[in-house]
Amino acid sequence: MQAVPALSSAPSSPEMLRGKRVIVTGASSGIGEQMAYHLARMEAHLLLTARREAKLQKVVERCLELGAASASYVSGSMEDTTFPEVVVKEAENTWGGLDMLILNHIGHSFFNYFNGDVGHVRKLLETNFLSYVAMTTAALPMLKENEGSVVVVSSMAGKIGTPFVAPYSATKFALDGFFSSLRHEFIIDKVNVSITLCILGYIDTENAVRAVSHAIRDTPAPKEECALEIIKSGALRQRELHYPSWVVGSLVLLRDIAPDFLDRSIRSNYKVENIKRT
Ligand SMILES: NC(=O)C1=CN([C@@H]2O[C@H](COP(=O)(O)OP(=O)(O)OC[C@H]3O[C@@H](n4cnc5c(N)ncnc54)[C@H](OP(=O)(O)O)[C@@H]3O)[C@@H](O)[C@H]2O)C=CC1
Ligand SMILES: CC(C)CCC[C@@H](C)[C@H]1CC[C@H]2[C@@H]3C(=O)C=C4C[C@@H](O)CC[C@]4(C)[C@H]3CC[C@]12C
């Protein structure tokens, strides 16, 4: 009998997404950029989006070098309520269909004590949450037709309360509520569109390391591996991804059986003396 390689031992298994049409948001840097490169190696068709056009141009070029079936971008801000539809329309016009929607972008926030800025929370909800709802709504007809997948990138801070990220954490908890409810409805309604919620711990992207390395004792996990795990979990239509699995898995378990113990250990991971109030 021939041995079947495990998915993890075939990092860029081309069959997984070859020829599939994929939108990646927040693809100009960090985990989104790394997802674009993995998808390119898998020979997918790519539509990338973020605000910075020059960065997107470079990522598209590299995707084509790596073997993408096609690659293009639309630049714009998800703070603009009309932009989600613009992106989905672009996919409709170029491909006439869609297989996977990867929602990954986040607006800028601060890593600090909550300063009472309600306007910031409102703006962040638009960028990090409402635009995800709008993108999914606009893409749903195409996703239904192709029995596609929605991949929602969230965080441990969207499952467990952690300090200094109150506005961000709220937007990530909102994603869990919305998309976990929607998943039920799809199943009840026999809509064959999968929803994968990705719960990530601390990842070594430039922005994350710059924002928190002075105040967090943890070592971040690699963005390249993280990006691949996200794509795999979406392709396998899993309900949730926990990455790194043992860290996130055990914290989520502790949340329900020993919440005070968990909160204390979370706080002990922070060098609070390095958080300067702004
Ligand atoms: N890194 C980490 O430790 C963790 C990350 N995550 C999640 O992973 C995902 C990716 O994070 P990471 O790679 O670190 O983030 P980055 O900051 O590296 O990337 C964020 C992306 O979003 C884009 N973006 C920012 N503002 C807007 C906007 N207003 N409209 C549209 N796009 C925007 C940025 O591009 P541009 O500036 O060009 O618009 C960029 O492409 C996020 O959902 C995050 O919550 C979860 C847990 C931990
Ligand atoms: C108890 C410990 C074992 C684990 C604690 C985990 C903490 C350290 C992890 C879990 C989720 C992480 C945040 C996150 O999701 C996304 C971002 C956005 C980025 O631009 C800036 C960094 C930030 C705020 C991360 C900061 C570190 C967080 C709070």
Side-chain angles (χ1 to χ4, degrees):
M1 204 170 64
Q2 214 178 346
V4 180
L7 277 175
S8 58
S9 66
S12 292
S13 166
E15 303 76 50
M16 216 188 269
L17 284 148
R18 179 179 289 153
K20 298 286 187 205
R21 298 154 296 185
V22 186
I23 295 178
V24 184
T25 73
S28 63
S29 67
I31 300 165
E33 176 184 0
Q34 297 305 318
M35 287 196 276
Y37 298 151
H38 284 302
L39 289 161
R41 288 185 205 102
M42 294 173 184
E43 299 172 27
H45 291 279
L46 292 175
L47 176 60
L48 309 180
T49 181
R51 292 168 307 173
R52 286 168 297 171
E53 191 169 1
K55 288 279 288 178
L56 286 170
Q57 234 157 23
K58 283 200 183 123
V59 178
V60 160
E61 259 170 50
R62 179 93 186 105
C63 285
L64 291 169
E65 284 166 17
L66 288 171
S70 70
S72 59
Y73 70 83
V74 209
S75 60
S77 174
M78 292 287 178
E79 248 179 69
D80 169 0
T81 54
T82 62
F83 189 60
E85 265 186 66
V86 171
V87 178
V88 173
K89 262 274 168 287
E90 179 72 21
E92 204 169 341
N93 293 342
T94 36
W95 299 326
L98 179 68
D99 300 290
M100 187 179 273
L101 173 63
I102 305 184
L103 299 168
N104 161 80
H105 63 277
I106 44 168
H108 184 261
S109 194
F110 44 80
F111 185 76
N112 212 314
Y113 294 91
F114 179 55
N115 64 2
D117 185 351
V118 182
H120 171 70
V121 181
R122 204 168 274 136
K123 205 164 80 178
L124 209 60
L125 276 167
E126 190 65 59
T127 310
N128 292 9
F129 171 61
L130 293 172
S131 71
Y132 281 44
V133 175
M135 288 283 295
T136 304
T137 305
L140 201 53
M142 287 195 284
L143 290 171
K144 279 185 183 170
E145 203 173 297
N146 299 287
E147 307 202 324
S149 310
V150 181
V151 177
V152 176
V153 179
S154 185
S155 160
M156 224 143 79
K159 280 280 184 201
I160 298 167
T162 62
F164 310 121
V165 289
Y168 169 83
S169 180
T171 68
K172 293 300 195 184
F173 268 82
L175 289 172
D176 195 346
F178 184 85
F179 284 96
S180 300
S181 178
L182 201 64
R183 187 191 295 112
H184 275 295
E185 293 177 22
F186 284 1
I187 293 168
I188 293 168
D189 214 15
K190 298 192 170 56
V191 170
N192 197 4
V193 174
S194 63
I195 295 178
T196 302
L197 184 70
C198 303
I199 309 302
L200 311 181
Y202 181 24
I203 311 298
D204 69 357
T205 64
E206 240 177 80
N207 283 342
V209 171
R210 190 184 323 116
V212 306
S213 60
H214 62 289
I216 285 176
R217 293 182 212 280
D218 267 343
T219 18
K223 58 181 188 283
E224 296 81 2
E225 184 184 66
C226 175
L228 185 58
E229 291 303 315
I230 294 172
I231 293 166
K232 282 202 264 178
S233 67
L236 295 172
R237 305 176 87 81
Q238 287 171 8
R239 57 177 290 133
E240 278 189 13
L241 166 72
H242 290 175
Y243 178 87
S245 71
W246 71 271
V247 185
V248 178
S250 40
L251 294 184
V252 170
L253 199 71
L254 273 176
R255 179 192 66 173
D256 296 330
I257 58 174
D260 289 318
F261 170 76
L262 174 64
D263 280 0
R264 271 194 301 276
S265 23
I266 287 175
R267 286 191 295 272
S268 72
N269 246 286
Y270 287 71
K271 303 177 210 165
V272 290
E273 65 280 10
N274 289 349
I275 307 271
K276 304 284 173 240
R277 282 175 200 271
T278 47

